[in-house]
Amino acid sequence: MTSYIRPMPSFLARLSPTNAFRDLRFFIRTRERYEWSFFALSVTLTALILWAFVHDSYAEKEYKPNIIYFQQWTLDRTDEQIIAQQKIDQAKRVIAEREQKAREEKLRAGFKRLDDKLNAMGL
């Protein structure tokens, strides 16, 4: 009984870049006009879907909190200094709250647009 398994070197000997290029050229020359239009359509649709995935893959930066464990004050601070520091801290707090509310409102508006689109589709 003879074996039909060929050794690997004989298989690899048939592979060459020039033969592959010649085969590709022959394949391209034998294509009909309608095949090229379907090829262009399929490449365009595939590229559009890939672009949509890339465009939609936005990720926000990781949140890293600014933790202050304690703040040292001198023991001889006056009431005016304490009140002045409280006003500075209050202004920072108000700005941070406004920024947070703006982010929440932007997110809320995005969900509202999505909800309106889904309602328009009947979902």
Side-chain angles (χ1 to χ4, degrees), residues 8 23 28 32 49 65 84 104 112 121:
M8 188 57 84
D23 188 36
I28 289 173
E32 296 291 331
I49 291 170
E104 290 173 359
K112 175 76 171 124
M121 286 191 278

Side-chain angles (χ1 to χ4, degrees), residues 80-91:
E80 292 81 22
Q81 291 173 333
I82 294 171
I83 292 171
Q85 184 63 44
Q86 287 175 345
K87 287 180 182 179
I88 293 170
D89 293 341
Q90 179 63 26

Side-chain angles (χ1 to χ4, degrees), residues 2-123:
T2 60
S3 174
Y4 291 104
I5 300 174
R6 292 183 176 181
M8 188 57 84
S10 67
F11 174 72
L12 294 177
R14 296 182 344 194
L15 300 178
S16 74
T18 55
N19 287 344
F21 182 70
R22 191 178 308 129
D23 188 36
L24 178 64
R25 239 182 25 198
F26 174 74
F27 180 76
I28 289 173
R29 286 183 184 174
T30 59
R31 299 296 98 193
E32 296 291 331
R33 185 179 187 105
Y34 71 90
E35 291 175 317
W36 285 109
S37 57
F38 279 114
F39 172 73
L41 179 65
S42 66
V43 167
T44 304
L45 288 176
T46 303
L48 180 68
I49 291 170
L50 289 175
W51 174 83
F53 276 112
V54 169
H55 181 70
D56 191 46
S57 65
Y58 169 76
E60 291 187 20
K61 289 192 278 183
E62 181 181 346
Y63 172 73
K64 295 181 180 177
N66 182 16
I67 300 174
I68 300 174
Y69 291 101
F70 62 89
Q71 189 171 4
Q72 294 182 355
W73 293 289
T74 59
L75 294 177
D76 58 349
R77 288 192 317 157
T78 64
D79 287 340
E80 292 81 22
Q81 291 173 333
I82 294 171
I83 292 171
Q85 184 63 44
Q86 287 175 345
K87 287 180 182 179
I88 293 170
D89 293 341
Q90 179 63 26
K92 289 179 184 178
R93 193 174 306 118
V94 167
I95 291 171
E97 287 173 359
R98 284 184 192 156
E99 289 174 353
Q100 179 64 24
K101 285 182 182 180
R103 283 191 299 269
E104 290 173 359
E105 188 58 38
K106 183 179 177 184
L107 185 63
R108 191 175 294 116
F111 281 123
K112 175 76 171 124
R113 282 193 306 272
L114 178 62
D115 187 45
D116 292 342
K117 287 179 184 178
L118 290 174
N119 285 338
M121 286 191 278
L123 297 176

